[in-house]
Amino acid sequence: MADEIRSENFIHRFIDEDIAEGGDYYGERVHTRFPPEPNGYLHIGHAKAVCVNFGTAEKFGGLCNLRMDDTNPTKEDVEYVDAIKEDVKWLGFDWDDRFYYASEYFPQMYDFAVELIEKGLAYVCELTGEQMREYRGDLSTPAKSPYRDRPIEESLDLFRRMREGEFEDGKMTLRAKIDLASGNFNMRDPVIYRINHMHHHRTGGQWCIYPMYDFAHPIEDALEGITHSLCTLEFEAHRPLYDWVVANISAPCKPRQIEFARLGINNTVMSKRKLRQLVEENFVSGWDDPRMPTICGLRRRGYTPESIRSFTDQIGVSKVNSTVEYSFLEHCLRDDLNERAIRAMAVLEPVKLVITNYPEDKTEQFEVENHPNHPEMGTRTVTFSNELYIEATDFMEEPIKKYQRLYPGNEVRIKSAYIVKCTGCKKDENGNVVEVYAEYDPETRGGNTPDGRKVRGTIHWVNAKDCLDAEVRLYDNLFTVPDPDSGDGNFLDFINPESLVVRKGCKVENSLKNAQSSDRFQFMRQGYFCADSKDSSPEHLVFNRSVGLKDGFKKK
Ligand code: ATP
Ligand code: MG
């Protein structure tokens, strides 16, 4: 029910109104776009924007474009472009053939700028950046702009020469002629073109003037026939300028900008600049390090597209910025994996358990369910012999209070196999337990007690004779504090030194031999795991803990 209310989010209501009104809403169908700047990998914040844009189009039976917003001539990389496409696709969205680069529109943008000059709505300004700031005015004083009334012909000539490369960087700008006294400083004759003699990754040296974002973006939207331009809240104060551009150029359509709140998650950082710093300074192994809040990191960690979509659905869309708890993202993953993960056994801190009354040369097979609630997920075979591995923590020579696992004299259920009674252990010269001993009760096959006696503890195990070695990587928050960005400290000061714990020499059941990174497992009593997509192979198994079993998310 709550979901229904949320899906009626304010963006959808605005669109409903637009459709009902007709009028300015000229479109046949709703058309949105997701416009990332290809200067880094997508993160979970972008996933929200992807879901909002593609999801809104989906809801209204419309279309959503994927557009690289590459109007800045900085180092943009095909690596990023390909990764962005892969991530959006993986999230489950399809742009069909509507993939664009904003830089493709440079010629039209130039023409629209000329159109504005011709209409007396833009002029070439020769103030330096410093002067411009100085002349900006304040709430009670309008800005000053000495070149504002320069003749149209002169501006047209200068703008053409700007484009031809006659002037150096910063020498001139093109400014929109709007309102020097506006209470919204974005409207005080904003710069819409600047000179920048820089190589562009797609257009090369073709241009030495580049449009500013506020001028470029509405044009990109208009040229693509976007009806609703959904963006984050920081663009709210830019909307009047967006509308002004759209209203004053002879563009084919008049898109409407609607802003929604950015997603923030605690115990992590989200800006691409900071994520890049983590990568470049080797705090993590790469953009796809499973601790990163990037889509590729989450994917490698074992997140499913469904869990991320469910997360963005449930946090909803609002007008108020807020921070979501990391544990809620984990909660959504757990919810999804609980249904789809195959159950298996893995021992992360192994110690050998010897069943002293079980024949040494015997091996038994048990057919166990892959999922307790989904018979359609089938069964698998686990083998049992006189030598098993169990967790070292499942034995205590001298039990603490309420301890119900193995200690001398106590009975425990070896999951799905037999009931065993602990008889003792062997220790090395340092007093460390190296082997635990027990006797099994042949009457309890399958872990049942025919006489109905109570056995409280159940432990997981693997057969020492056919189990596989594995490396297991346990992850925790990348940062120790909820908001590493706040305060005067450097966010790097709050890196969690225990965000990655590597366990080598773990033992996993034989059925995991061919585990693929796309498979999802619940290791009994341990959590949800997947094979690492980069480092795992049948010769060297590596598992990532996607999320633990215990739900740390508390509904407020
Ligand atoms: P960052 O600040 O992380 O570098 P950005 O806004 O510069 O992000 P863009 O590539 O320009 O990154 O973003 C593409 C789209 O994703 C934009 O429409 C932007 O509003 C949206 N977006 C970016 N970060 C978030 C976020 N945390 N929550 C929701 N939407 C976001
Ligand atoms: Mg940006």
Side-chain angles (χ1 to χ4, degrees):
M1 200 189 85
D3 285 348
E4 258 170 46
I5 293 168
R6 274 196 208 91
S7 72
E8 282 304 312
N9 70 47
F10 75 94
I11 294 177
H12 298 166
R13 279 198 297 277
F14 282 179
I15 296 177
D16 278 335
E17 285 165 20
D18 288 344
I19 292 171
E21 268 171 30
D24 272 354
Y25 180 79
Y26 55 84
E28 295 278 288
R29 46 162 59 168
V30 171
H31 203 148
T32 58
R33 85 286 169 265
F34 173 62
E37 194 178 339
N39 61 351
Y41 286 74
L42 299 185
H43 51 57
I44 180 80
H46 292 117
K48 173 172 176 179
V50 170
C51 291
V52 168
N53 278 292
F54 280 91
T56 299
E58 228 164 57
K59 169 166 167 116
F60 287 92
L63 300 170
C64 182
N65 297 357
L66 178 60
R67 179 200 308 150
M68 299 298 122
D69 206 338
D70 62 348
T71 53
N72 251 332
T74 45
K75 59 161 183 226
E76 276 146 354
D77 211 316
V78 279
E79 178 195 350
Y80 297 134
V81 173
D82 293 342
I84 288 169
K85 285 178 161 178
E86 185 186 354
D87 288 350
V88 174
K89 220 173 248 163
W90 179 76
L91 282 170
F93 297 107
D94 186 9
W95 55 88
D96 201 358
D97 58 352
R98 295 176 314 280
F99 174 79
Y100 303 104
Y101 287 98
S103 57
E104 285 168 2
Y105 310 131
F106 283 157
Q108 290 99 315
M109 290 175 190
Y110 180 84
D111 291 344
F112 285 133
V114 170
E115 180 187 346
L116 289 180
I117 302 174
E118 284 170 343
K119 287 176 171 167
L121 293 174
Y123 57 95
V124 170
C125 172
E126 290 171 53
L127 294 180
T128 61
E130 199 181 320
Q131 286 170 322
M132 225 179 273
R133 271 190 296 282
E134 197 181 311
Y135 293 173
R136 204 167 157 256
D138 54 34
L139 280 178
S140 50
T141 329
K144 281 189 290 190
S145 182
Y147 297 96
R148 194 169 208 252
D149 295 317
R150 134 177 288 164
I152 289 173
E153 284 312 316
E154 205 176 296
S155 280
L156 281 174
D157 178 55
L158 288 171
F159 188 54
R160 184 182 48 78
R161 286 158 63 193
M162 277 168 66
R163 181 199 174 159
E164 280 165 7
E166 200 172 309
F167 312 112
E168 68 208 51
D169 290 3
K171 186 93 178 94
M172 291 176 191
T173 56
L174 183 70
R175 293 176 70 176
K177 193 171 184 174
I178 308 180
D179 180 3
L180 293 175
S182 175
N184 181 339
F185 283 66
N186 295 314
M187 300 297 273
R188 291 191 172 186
D189 289 13
V191 172
I192 57 174
Y193 257 96
R194 67 193 200 288
I195 303 173
N196 194 345
H197 290 267
M198 211 168 148
H199 183 90
H200 185 280
H201 77 129
R202 288 188 64 83
T203 57
Q206 224 176 315
W207 296 88
C208 62
I209 56 171
Y210 290 96
M212 304 299 285
Y213 182 90
D214 283 341
F215 179 65
H217 205 82
I219 294 177
E220 296 157 21
D221 286 343
L223 291 174
E224 290 178 17
I226 301 305
T227 57
H228 295 87
S229 181
L230 314 178
C231 63
T232 34
L233 228 44
E234 70 273 20
F235 295 105
E236 194 166 27
H238 298 245
R239 191 187 337 135
L241 180 50
Y242 184 101
D243 291 342
W244 184 92
V245 172
V246 163
N248 287 294
I249 59 172
S250 54
C253 81
K254 313 278 177 211
R256 170 179 181 185
Q257 175 179 305
I258 303 173
E259 313 84 18
F260 62 91
R262 241 175 207 278
L263 167 65
I265 300 189
N266 67 14
N267 293 89
T268 190
V269 292
M270 205 86 102
S271 99
K272 273 183 264 184
R273 188 178 57 76
K274 288 179 178 148
L275 295 174
R276 180 176 299 109
Q277 205 177 339
L278 289 170
V279 173
E280 284 174 357
E281 298 178 24
N282 295 314
F283 288 100
V284 295
S285 64
W287 286 94
D288 66 349
D289 186 298
R291 292 166 290 178
M292 293 279 271
T294 49
I295 305 299
C296 52
L298 294 167
R299 176 164 62 233
R300 191 169 163 196
R301 172 87 168 250
Y303 274 79
T304 56
E306 291 82 359
S307 63
I308 295 176
R309 287 175 72 156
S310 153
F311 170 75
T312 61
D313 267 5
Q314 292 188 62
I315 55 176
V317 186
S318 92
K319 273 278 189 190
V320 189
N321 279 321
S322 66
T323 306
V324 178
E325 297 204 23
Y326 203 93
S327 58
F328 185 62
L329 180 60
E330 296 190 317
H331 168 85
C332 294
L333 176 61
R334 205 177 279 113
D335 252 13
D336 185 45
L337 292 184
N338 184 34
E339 290 304 312
R340 69 171 73 230
I342 288 177
R343 272 48 176 175
M345 293 196 282
V347 177
L348 305 195
E349 265 185 278
V351 67
K352 196 171 267 184
L353 174 69
V354 181
I355 318 284
T356 51
N357 62 341
Y358 193 88
E360 256 178 60
D361 51 1
K362 184 174 172 185
T363 296
E364 256 181 280
Q365 298 194 332
F366 290 91
E367 214 45 35
V368 299
E369 290 176 316
N370 282 330
H371 194 291
N373 311 326
H374 293 299
E376 76 281 6
M377 284 172 70
T379 59
R380 68 186 191 288
T381 307
V382 296
T383 65
F384 181 88
S385 74
N386 70 320
E387 290 191 359
L388 314 177
Y389 282 111
I390 60 166
E391 295 292 340
T393 50
D394 283 338
F395 170 76
M396 285 187 100
E397 195 176 17
E398 289 171 37
I400 50 169
K401 236 187 181 163
K402 295 196 179 156
Y403 190 79
Q404 288 169 347
R405 291 166 274 163
L406 288 168
Y407 57 85
N410 194 41
E411 275 198 322
V412 161
R413 178 175 295 102
I414 302 291
K415 171 76 178 174
S416 309
Y418 285 105
I419 308 288
V420 304
K421 183 183 226 164
C422 183
T423 53
C425 68
K426 179 168 104 187
K427 290 192 269 189
D428 64 11
E429 58 274 22
N430 302 317
N432 296 319
V433 175
V434 291
E435 260 177 18
V436 179
Y437 302 111
E439 290 177 352
Y440 86 116
D441 176 352
E443 302 297 309
T444 59
R445 197 173 196 279
N448 307 307
T449 48
D451 57 356
R453 71 183 188 272
K454 269 226 150 43
V455 174
R456 292 187 185 277
T458 298
I459 64 174
H460 62 274
W461 54 281
V462 295
N463 180 0
K465 291 184 179 161
D466 70 359
C467 67
L468 309 165
D469 281 322
E471 173 180 328
V472 171
R473 300 175 181 169
L474 305 174
Y475 301 100
D476 197 356
N477 288 338
L478 197 44
F479 294 91
T480 52
V481 293
D483 186 2
D485 274 333
S486 75
D488 345 304
N490 180 344
F491 73 104
L492 296 171
D493 296 342
F494 303 108
I495 293 256
N496 178 5
E498 280 156 32
S499 58
L500 169 61
V501 173
V502 178
R503 293 263 169 84
K504 301 208 174 182
C506 303
K507 307 285 183 188
V508 302
E509 64 174 72
N510 196 275
S511 71
L512 296 170
K513 186 161 42 190
N514 294 311
Q516 304 294 307
S517 61
S518 54
D519 296 333
R520 297 287 179 275
F521 302 102
Q522 186 196 94
F523 290 170
M524 190 187 158
R525 296 168 70 213
Q526 306 281 11
Y528 294 96
F529 292 78
C530 69
D532 187 78
S533 54
K534 271 199 173 154
D535 300 338
S536 189
S537 66
E539 296 73 44
H540 179 76
L541 291 169
V542 179
F543 290 97
N544 294 319
R545 184 170 67 194
S546 312
V547 66
L549 286 179
K550 215 171 106 214
D551 199 333
F553 175 69
K554 300 234 169 19
K555 285 213 169 105
K556 295 243 165 72

